[in-house]
Structures are given as C-alpha cells and as structure tokens.
C-alpha cells in the first residue's frame, strides 16, 4: 500500500463574484522515506494541495490518505513548515519548539529531551532561553524545523522554507535539512519554484501547470544525484542536463505572450 | 591619536551631547512648571485674574494642608481612586471578554455589529441618571459609570486586533491539531497584548471621566463631589485642589500601566 495517496483531488475556491478552480484532478503517490518536490509556476495550486494534504481543509472532491487513513482524522502525523519561520515572538526558543507537544498534550520529559537534543544537533546550543528576534534568519528557520520535527511527524511538508533566506544560508540549510531528514528516514514534500532546489533535494519532482493546477509531468532524479548532498548535486555532471529538461518543460507551460 | 582612541573619544562626545540634550529638556520642563505656578500666584495677587474664580497656588496649598490634617481629602481621594481603579479594570476586562466572545463566534459578531456601532457612538455618560436610579446612588453605580464608558470601545479595538493576528500563526497551530481555545490562548491573546495595553492607557483617562461625572450626579463623596460642591458654594480653591489631585493620580495610574506594559510584553527587547 502506498504511504501517501492523493486521489483525484479537485479544489475550487468560492468568492462572491467568482469560483476559481485551484486544483483539477490531481492524483499522485509518495512512498515512505521518499523526498519529493512540487514545482510549478505561481498559481498552480501547490500551497492549496499542501494544505489539503496537511488536513487543514477538505478538497471539494477527492481524497487524501496517509497509510490508508484519511488525513483529516490524522493528528500530529504531518508536520508543516512555512515560508517564514513564524516562531511566536512572545515565546522563547524552548517554548517555541515544545509548542506542538504542548498542543497535542504529549509533553513528556522524554519528548522534551528529544526536542532539546534536536536543537543541539541543528547547531543551536544554548539558545533555549533566547527570543526569536535575537536570532538570525537561518537560525530561526532551523528552530522552526526543530519545532516541526519535535512531534515526530510521519510526513513533513516544506512550503518554500528557504525562499526568505539569503542564498548562502539557503544552500547551507538545504544540506542540513536533507541530511537530517535522510538520517531520520522521513518522508517529505517540498514546495518550491526553484528548479535547482527541487533537483538537488528530491528523489522525484512533480511538475504542475497553472490555472487550473494540474499535475503535468513527473521527473525521477537519477540515483547518482540522490546520493549526493544538495550542494554537491548542484555541481554534479548530470545536473545541467536535468535542469535543462525541466526548464524547457516549465517554459512550454507558460502561455505565449506572458514572457 | 590612534584610530581606536579616536572612536572612543567620539563615542564619549556623542554620549555627552545626548546627556546635554536631556538636561535641556528637563530644564525647560521645570521652567514651564515654575512659570505656570508663579505666574498664576502673581496674577492672582495682583488681581489680574479674579482670585475668587481662579484662586491661587498658595491658597490651594493651604487648603491641601488643612484637608490632609483633618483627613477629609484622604477619604474623598480614597473613594474616587477605588471607583476609578475598579471601573477601569472592570471596563477593560469585560471589553476584552466581549471581544473574545465575538472572536469565538463569527456569526454572533455579524449580528452584534450594528448594535456595537450604536452603543459606541452613544455618549455613555448620558446613561448616568439611569444607572443611578437602577443601581442606587452609591459606589456601585459610579463604578458602573467608570466601566461602561470604556467597555464598548475596548471591545471594538481588541476584537479588531484579534482578527488581525497573522493567519500563519494560526496555521502553525492548526498543523499541530490545535482547537479553537488553544489557538486563542497560544496565538490570538498574546499577539494582542500590545493592543490591550494601549487600550488600558486610553481607558485610564476614560474611567476618570466616567467616575467624576458619576460623582457629579450622585453628589455625596469623592473628588468629583468636591468639584461640584466647590462650584455650588463658589469655593474655587476647593475645585482647583480637586483638579490638581486628579491630575496627579491620573498620571500615576498611567505610569503604572506603562510599568505593566514593560513587565507583560517580553520578547527579548
């Protein structure tokens, strides 16, 4: 059985004056331990799909199941990381990373120790009692990752988590996240509009077309790239060819005249 | 001079200039204070202004000492102060509670909307006579005046700030499976603390208005009563004394709220 199964999902947003179809007939499967990316132009419904998978709202049609269970009923099995860190500025770092456990009423000494250990492994020792605004952007995003991992989710969703960072921090963080998730064997979905990021981090890349959002094509990333860290993958000899293929496919999606 | 010493020297100069500016500000503030009171005293003694109406600082001070010695000032001050503090706390608390209820039920907030607008535009002190008849000419009705004057505006301002909390904080909590109460406790309320504190600051002033008007109407004790009594017997020294005491204690309350603000809003700054 598939780990995550998205089955014929349609979603339409209604407003007073219009009905906008964000997703149209999207079906896909993700295996356990796999790292996949959703790539596509803006308006292709990536974030909508992520929210549906996270069980934040139900699709107009279709179902999403995680290990055979509907995601709406799953609690704390899915971790969600947003574009910005969204650490709570009035809570210190320790309170921030334990937030998920507190909400789920599962704040045991074991899990607390685990969260603090994660924080250390992310190279953030001794910041527990500091407040988010005392930390740099990269540090805050690492704290946000710890907050997401602390509840031990089975599936991790990353919604353009590196887009608000400077390039150098972004590259370093890609390596760290990739390494961390691999070592935990976590399944992850990354939403991005950065082709390079999608190629270097994932096992498979799902390319979406816009208006309405549809699954256009799936690319399997060759094994030699998958085994490398994201930074090294970007310098690998097969990288440019894949980049070109995806680039051309993306170009073909854009309606003529919009360039 | 080495570059390092130069930087130190310049920094010291910068600090000196800051201190100098601060001293000048304090100096002019003191000048205004002294000019105002000595001008008042002088104008009154020379009969440039009618001493019967405007009194004089020396007379007010004399009355202050007498009323301290016979204890009557403390009694009146005690009444007014406790009424104001109660009214202020009650008004802010009930206003915030109402805002929370409106946030909890979007349907209710839609229904209540026109009524809130009407209640907000209404001059609340006009309700004074009804309150006094309903609750009796006592402590309770004056506290109610102090509270009612700030409830609706607190509700509106705090509710607006509840609605304006960044939805992404709520999204973070929802991905952890938070219920509505947890969302309120972890994100909505703490994110709105700065707004609640700033309504506190406004409410300090409003509660004084409500309480003083209430005391005008009830006319039995308190600083507001001192004003209305002084007015009726044409003892404006009493009115001035009451006004100055109100000014001092309203300022003290405001400063206490600012102190609370610094204690409550902690985010490492």
């Amino acid at each position: 059985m598939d780990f995550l199964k998205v089955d014929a999902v349609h979603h339409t947003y209604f407003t007073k004056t219009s009905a906008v179809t964000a997703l149209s007939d999207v079906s896909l499967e993700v295996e356990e331990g796999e790292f996949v990316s959703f790539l596509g132009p803006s308006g292709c419904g990536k974030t909508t799909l992520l929210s549906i998978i996270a069980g934040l709202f139900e699709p107009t049609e279709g179902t999403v199941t995680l290990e055979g269970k509907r995601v709406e009923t799953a609690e704390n099995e899915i971790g969600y990381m947003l574009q910005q860190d969204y650490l709570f500025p009035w809570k210190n770092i320790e309170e921030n990373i334990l937030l998920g456990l507190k909400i789920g009423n599962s704040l045991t000494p074991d899990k607390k120790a685990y969260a603090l250990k994660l924080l250390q492994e992310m190279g953030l020792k001794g910041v527990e009692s500091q407040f988010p605004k005392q930390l740099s952007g990269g540090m805050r995003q690492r704290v946000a990752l710890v907050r997401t991992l602390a509840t031990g989710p089975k599936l991790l969703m990353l919604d353009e988590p590196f887009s608000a960072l400077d390039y150098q921090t972004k590259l370093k963080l890609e390596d760290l996240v990739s390494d961390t998730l691999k070592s935990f064997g976590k399944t992850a979905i990354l939403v991005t509009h950065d082709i390079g990021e999608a190629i270097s981090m994932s096992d498979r890349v799902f390319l979406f077309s816009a208006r309405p959002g549809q699954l256009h094509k799936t690319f399997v990333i060759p094994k030699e790239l998958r085994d490398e860290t994201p930074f090294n993958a970007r310098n690998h000899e097969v990288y440019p060819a894949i980049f070109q293929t995806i680039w051309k496919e993306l170009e073909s999606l854009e309606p003529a005249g919009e360039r | 001079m080495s570059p390092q010493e130069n930087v130190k020297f310049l920094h010291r100069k910068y600090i000196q200039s800051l201190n100098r500016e601060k001293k000048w500000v304090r100096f002019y503030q003191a000048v205004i204070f002294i000019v105002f009171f000595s001008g008042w005293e002088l104008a009154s003694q020379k009969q440039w202004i009618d001493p019967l109406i405007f009194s004089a600082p020396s007379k007010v001070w004399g009355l202050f000492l007498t009323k301290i010695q016979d204890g009557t000032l403390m009694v009146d001050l005690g009444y007014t102060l406790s009424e104001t503090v109660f009214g202020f706390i009650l008004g802010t608390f009930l206003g915030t509670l109402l805002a929370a209820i409106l946030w909890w039920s979007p349907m209710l907030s839609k229904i209540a909307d026109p009524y809130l607008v009407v209640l907000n535009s209404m001059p609340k002190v006009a309700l004074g006579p009804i309150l006094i008849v309903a609750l009796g000419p006592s402590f309770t009705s004056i506290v109610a005046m102090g509270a009612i004057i700030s409830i609706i505006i607190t509700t509106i301002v705090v509710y607006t700030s509840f609605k304006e909390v960044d939805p992404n904080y709520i999204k973070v909590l929802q991905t952890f499976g938070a219920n509505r109460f947890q969302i309120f406790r972890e994100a909505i309320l703490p994110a709105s603390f700065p707004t609640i504190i700033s309504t506190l600051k406004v409410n300090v002033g409003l509660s004084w208005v409500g309480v003083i008007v209430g005391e005008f109407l009830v006319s039995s004790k308190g600083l507001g009563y001192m004003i209305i009594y002084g007015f009726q017997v044409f003892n404006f020294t009493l009115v001035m004394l009451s006004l100055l005491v109100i000014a001092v204690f309203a300022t003290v309350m405001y400063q206490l709220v600012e102190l609370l603000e610094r204690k409550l809003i902690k985010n490492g700054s």
Side-chain angles (χ1 to χ4, degrees):
Chain A
M1 189 170 52
D2 292 305
F3 182 68
L4 174 77
K5 191 173 164 72
V6 176
D7 191 22
V9 164
H10 281 268
H11 194 75
T12 309
Y13 287 108
F14 296 103
T15 67
K16 225 184 230 173
T17 50
S18 64
V20 181
T21 299
L23 291 171
S24 166
D25 194 22
V26 174
S27 297
L28 55 90
E29 280 109 39
V30 180
E31 303 299 324
E32 185 154 19
E34 204 181 12
F35 193 120
V36 302
S37 290
F38 292 171
L39 185 69
S42 54
C44 71
K46 292 172 294 196
T47 300
T48 305
L49 184 56
L50 223 53
S51 298
I52 290 173
I53 296 176
L56 293 180
F57 51 81
E58 281 188 49
T60 322
E61 276 175 56
T63 53
V64 181
T65 52
L66 183 70
E67 292 185 315
K69 279 186 292 182
R70 299 275 295 251
V71 285
E72 293 87 1
T73 60
E75 261 186 32
N76 269 346
E77 295 188 335
I78 295 173
Y80 197 124
M81 207 167 142
L82 293 106
Q83 270 172 37
Q84 281 159 44
D85 52 78
Y86 286 106
L87 297 177
F88 291 61
W90 51 86
K91 290 179 187 292
N92 66 25
I93 301 304
E94 182 174 326
E95 288 165 335
N96 263 297
I97 60 171
L98 299 178
L99 184 63
L101 295 169
K102 189 180 163 194
I103 295 289
N105 280 327
S106 53
L107 188 56
T108 57
D110 273 10
K111 287 186 174 166
K112 183 176 170 178
Y114 172 70
L116 292 171
K117 199 181 112 229
L118 268 178
L119 195 66
Q120 254 186 43
E121 282 171 10
M122 294 282 169
L124 291 166
K125 209 181 165 189
V127 299
E128 290 87 345
S129 59
Q130 288 188 11
F131 284 90
K133 81 177 189 195
Q134 291 167 289
L135 270 52
S136 71
M139 287 164 92
R140 293 168 58 131
Q141 200 57 290
R142 274 183 277 164
V143 174
L145 180 65
V146 173
R147 177 175 68 183
T148 314
L149 289 173
T151 55
K154 287 179 182 160
L155 172 67
L156 204 67
M157 299 203 290
L158 311 163
D159 188 359
E160 299 184 32
F162 312 117
S163 60
L165 302 172
D166 61 85
Y167 196 64
Q168 206 184 354
T169 311
K170 171 187 153 119
L171 290 181
K172 281 188 192 158
L173 218 53
E174 280 176 13
D175 276 11
L176 181 72
V177 169
S178 169
D179 190 44
T180 309
L181 296 188
K182 255 182 207 155
S183 68
F184 286 115
K186 291 263 189 242
T187 315
I189 301 174
L190 171 75
V191 163
T192 181
H193 48 237
D194 180 338
I195 305 173
E197 189 170 286
I199 299 171
S200 59
M201 291 191 78
S202 347
D203 302 324
R204 274 193 298 163
V205 176
F206 294 103
L207 183 63
F208 285 81
S209 60
R211 289 182 202 90
Q214 271 173 319
L215 181 55
H216 180 72
K217 211 166 179 176
T218 309
F219 300 90
V220 178
I221 305 299
K223 194 169 182 335
E224 54 261 50
L225 279 189
R226 276 190 256 161
D227 292 342
E228 291 289 352
T229 64
F231 187 83
N232 290 337
R234 282 178 195 260
N235 296 319
H236 200 278
E237 53 191 2
V238 301
Y239 173 88
I242 300 167
F243 189 96
Q244 284 304 325
T245 320
I246 298 183
W247 172 259
K248 280 189 187 125
E249 206 63 55
L250 254 176
E251 285 278 277
S252 74
L253 288 177
E254 270 184 64
E258 252 188 44
R259 255 169 276 165
Chain B
M1 216 184 314
S2 78
Q4 262 173 347
E5 280 170 10
N6 198 17
V7 167
K8 262 189 197 160
F9 174 71
L10 288 174
H11 188 224
R12 212 166 43 234
K13 278 201 102 170
Y14 173 71
I15 289 172
Q16 273 171 359
S17 78
L18 281 185
N19 285 337
R20 203 173 308 133
E21 189 188 66
K22 204 171 159 191
K23 270 181 200 150
W24 277 113
V25 170
R26 290 269 178 266
F27 172 73
Y28 282 118
Q29 284 168 341
V31 165
I32 290 173
F33 185 83
I34 292 164
V35 166
F36 177 75
F37 281 99
S38 52
W40 181 9
E41 182 69 41
L42 189 70
S44 179
Q45 293 210 350
K46 298 269 180 196
Q47 307 266 331
W48 296 336
I49 54 172
D50 189 344
L52 204 58
I53 295 173
F54 295 101
S55 190
S58 57
K59 287 195 213 162
V60 173
W61 181 247
L63 185 65
F64 174 71
L65 293 179
T66 334
K67 282 183 85 60
I68 286 277
Q69 272 153 14
D70 67 12
T72 49
L73 182 65
M74 281 309 151
V75 174
D76 282 321
L77 177 62
Y79 268 107
T80 305
L81 215 52
S82 48
E83 284 157 0
T84 312
V85 170
F86 273 115
F88 156 75
I89 291 172
L90 210 62
T92 312
F93 176 74
L94 290 178
T96 309
L97 191 71
L98 263 174
I101 293 170
L102 292 181
W103 178 82
W104 194 272
S105 162
M107 183 72 180
L108 185 67
S109 86
K110 276 179 200 154
I111 295 169
D113 185 58
Y115 297 104
L116 282 178
V117 172
V118 170
L119 286 176
N120 186 42
S121 9
M122 194 146 118
K124 261 72 68 182
V125 290
L127 294 173
I130 297 173
L131 281 178
I132 288 164
V133 174
L135 301 172
S138 61
F139 187 78
T140 324
S141 60
I142 297 176
V143 169
M145 283 282 281
I148 210 167
I149 203 166
S150 53
I151 281 182
I152 302 297
I153 190 69
T154 306
T155 306
I156 292 174
V157 173
V158 173
Y159 175 59
T160 310
S161 106
F162 281 172
K163 276 197 304 186
E164 279 168 2
V165 172
D166 191 329
N168 284 308
Y169 287 118
I170 299 170
K171 195 170 178 180
V172 168
L173 291 172
Q174 277 172 338
T175 61
F176 289 133
N179 59 33
R180 213 159 157 76
F181 175 70
Q182 285 172 320
I183 290 172
F184 184 78
R185 194 187 55 196
E186 301 296 336
I188 302 292
L189 190 62
S192 303
F193 266 147
T195 314
I196 294 173
I197 296 286
S198 65
T199 64
L200 281 180
K201 285 183 187 166
V202 177
N203 290 352
V204 168
L206 285 177
S207 299
W208 278 97
V209 174
V211 164
I212 296 297
V213 173
E215 288 180 348
F216 280 3
L217 294 173
V218 172
S219 276
S220 64
K221 356 179 156 58
L223 297 172
Y225 168 64
M226 256 168 77
I227 293 176
I228 209 83
Y229 177 76
F231 165 65
Q232 281 162 352
V233 302
F234 225 75
N235 179 357
F236 276 83
T237 307
L238 191 61
V239 175
M240 290 297 178
L241 174 64
S242 180
L243 285 178
L244 289 175
V245 171
I246 290 171
V248 169
F249 280 90
T251 313
V252 168
M253 265 177 84
Y254 189 87
Q255 298 290 338
L256 286 177
V257 171
E258 282 205 322
L259 198 73
L260 183 77
E261 178 176 26
R262 280 200 292 272
K263 285 252 177 263
L264 218 57
I265 297 173
K266 44 157 195 180
N267 49 13
S269 57

